[in-house]
Amino acid sequence: MTQKQVADVMGVARSTINRLEKCGGDIRLSTLKRYVEAVGGSLEVSVRLPSGVTRLTI
């Protein structure tokens, strides 16, 4: 998908998608979820604790 297509699905400007893809810094989990869903995926987070691993589908 192009940045414009992703931006249209997310309802944001193309420049926002450009920053997300180039920055690589801290982004909100909710923003990452919206981005992943916009490109047709789903987000899963693994949490590793001493007691084991928990997987969360966000």
Side-chain angles (χ1 to χ4, degrees), residues 9-49:
V9 171
M10 291 180 66
V12 298
R14 188 204 56 80
S15 60
T16 301
I17 301 305
N18 187 45
R19 278 194 311 276
L20 283 175
E21 291 181 355
K22 287 189 177 199
C23 184
D26 289 339
I27 72 169
R28 293 174 50 181
L29 190 55
S30 59
T31 302
L32 178 60
K33 179 183 184 228
R34 288 179 58 215
Y35 177 85
V36 170
E37 289 174 346
V39 297
S42 62
L43 182 62
E44 183 175 287
V45 176
S46 294
V47 179
R48 289 183 182 87
L49 299 171

